[in-house]
Amino acid sequence: MTFSACHLPLRSPATRTVQRPFGDATAQSLLPTPAELDAAWAAAEEAAARLRRRSLASVLEAIAACAEAWTETTAGPLEEALTVLPGGTGFSRPVVQRGLSAMAKALCGDAIGELIDRELGDRARLESHQVKAPTRLTHVMAGNLPGLAFAPIALSLALRAPVLVKAAAGDPYSPAAFARALATIDEDLGEAVLVHDWRGGDGAIEDVAFAADVVVASGSDAAIAVIRRRVPGRFIGHGHKVSFAVVADGRGDDRSVAAALAFDVALWDQHGCLSPQVCFVEEANRGEAERFALAIAGELENVRLALPPRQMDAAEAAAIARFRHSAEWDPGDPRDRLWHADDTAWSVTLEHRPGLRPTCLDRCIRVVPLASADTLSDVLAPHRARLECAGLACAVERCRDWETLLQSAGVHRTCA
């Protein structure tokens, strides 16, 4: 199967194309000149101007309709995605289906409008143009997960701003497919989006792409540093981040909490920045952390049936072997333990050395006992710049205290 990795409504089609393998499929891209890309930008600005003459409600409804189409598997864009993305990314078809659907559902209904209300106080400020949208907005996508471009495209268009997306080599499919789905629902929205998958370091193209009012990039720290030097204007970079879980006293039934955590670990096989890699367990009684680690191990075995693990290469399998070897033969404490599947499907360690040590991913999680909530602040302090999300299970009356502690430690987001 050959698919288009770009979405460039050019007034005159680019004459050059390139093809790259992506699993069993082939990604085909146009190669516009810098002048052609700049002209496409100008056309996208015209489309965005038309959007600004429309009601904000009509724009948000069209975006939500597109997102809704990505939650259906029997027809529409998600069905085609499920034929392309598993082979190209290594993620199993059920994981891709659940992951993309979750990303799309977050944009359905009035979710974007409610987000605008929270950010701006009232969407009426955007409707009446009290808030000025960027003239040009560029997003550089990371390639660790498919579908990461859904939200940046949708939120940029909610501002009624023209947006250029650089697709990542790890996912050349999703950004252009989402843009094409938008175009089938609303012509103006489709024409306000540009998707290009140029190779990083193409100075001539980046002179055009990075001349936007705002450039937002996600990726490795090294990639962010390179892009930052190339952008002459406002730049927002999202580099390497780590997420974790906190299972506190009064959390309720261990099995249901462990099942929820196992799902978070299995979805995207920990390759997302929101994926928990460490679980801190507050121990009111000795042995609680070990019992919870056993519960996680059991639930990871259960969830593999519904969400099979991704296909791994030799280097990734070797990393899991090293993770297990270190836990088994070099424990930091005689009470440390290791549980794992017969194959590479999952691994759980119990580690009494306090710390936030990331894992090798692919369903490998560390369980670390906590003597009290107060000790977590000291554990997190060295990692403040890297903290992204904390998944929290605790008694309802302690939620506010835990959230305050985690936010003070530098955690950007706290959720169940």
Side-chain angles (χ1 to χ4, degrees), residues 48-66:
R50 293 194 296 273
L51 291 174
R52 289 192 291 274
R53 291 193 290 270
R54 290 167 45 179
S55 70
L56 178 61
S58 73
V59 173
L60 296 181
E61 287 171 6
I63 296 170
C66 178

Side-chain angles (χ1 to χ4, degrees), residues 321-334:
R322 288 193 298 271
F323 176 82
R324 293 175 176 178
H325 185 276
S326 175
E328 190 168 13
W329 298 105
D330 188 24
D333 185 287

